[in-house]
Amino acid sequence: MRPEWMVGAAGVLVVLVAIVWRQVYRNRVRSQVDRALRDADPARRRAAVGVATEQGLRTYARVLAARIEAETDPRVRAALVDGVLRNAWEPADRPSILRLRLWAHEERQREETSAALPYRRPTPPLGLPRHRAPAAARFPAVAGGHA
C-alpha cells in the first residue's frame, strides 16, 4: 500500500468520526432540552425555552410548537412568545416555525389588546340596590357643620 492512500483514508475516517460524534452530541442536547421543556418546575421550563430559542427555532421548532397547547404557566408562555419573536430573522420555511410565529404574534396582540382596555367598574346585578355611602362620607365639609 502506498502511504498517500493511507493518509487519505485516515483523513476520511477522522471526518466521519467527527460527523458521527457531532450528531450524537446534538441528539443528547436536544433530548435534555426536550426533557426540561416537559419538567414539572415552571422555572426549568422557562429556562429550557430560553436555551431552545437562543439556539434558533429551526432546531427546536417541533418541540416548542408542541408546548403551545401544553403550557399553562403564563411566565413560560411569555418567554416562549419573546423567544419566538426575537428570532424573526429566521425564515419560516417549516410548518412548525410558521405555526410558532403565528401563535406568538396572536399572543402578543392579545396581551396588547387586554392591556389597552379601560377599566370598567362592575355594575351590580339588576334588582339589587347600589351601595351608597352616607351623606357625611360623601360630603365631609357638610357633616362637620362647615358650609
Side-chain angles (χ1 to χ4, degrees):
M1 270 194 218
R2 298 175 58 167
E4 298 89 21
W5 186 85
M6 294 291 285
V7 171
V12 169
L13 184 63
V14 167
V15 169
L16 288 175
V17 167
I19 290 171
V20 169
W21 178 83
R22 183 174 180 189
Q23 192 62 35
V24 168
Y25 179 76
R26 283 177 136 180
N27 288 342
R28 188 178 324 144
V29 170
R30 275 190 202 140
S31 68
Q32 288 175 342
V33 170
D34 187 35
R35 274 195 312 273
L37 284 168
R38 291 182 280 118
D39 196 277
D41 183 14
R44 181 164 289 197
R45 291 194 312 270
R46 193 171 63 225
V49 166
V51 168
T53 56
E54 285 175 8
Q55 301 289 322
L57 295 179
R58 178 174 288 268
T59 305
Y60 296 102
R62 200 173 295 138
V63 178
L64 292 172
R67 291 303 314 158
I68 292 172
E69 286 88 20
E71 188 54 59
T72 57
D73 189 275
R75 294 170 299 178
V76 178
R77 290 177 72 85
L80 186 54
V81 168
D82 290 340
V84 169
L85 294 179
R86 190 174 46 243
N87 286 313
W89 56 269
E90 283 189 73
D93 57 352
R94 292 182 178 180
S96 53
I97 294 176
L98 183 58
R99 182 173 176 218
L100 279 170
R101 290 250 174 83
L102 290 173
W103 173 82
H105 282 288
E106 289 169 359
E107 284 289 309
R108 181 59 49 94
Q109 188 69 29
R110 191 175 303 125
E111 289 171 9
E112 291 171 355
T113 302
S114 66
L117 292 176
Y119 172 74
R120 286 187 51 202
R121 169 173 276 175
T123 57
L126 295 175
L128 296 177
R130 291 180 184 248
H131 172 72
R132 295 199 67 161
R138 285 185 287 164
F139 304 104
V142 174
H146 305 291

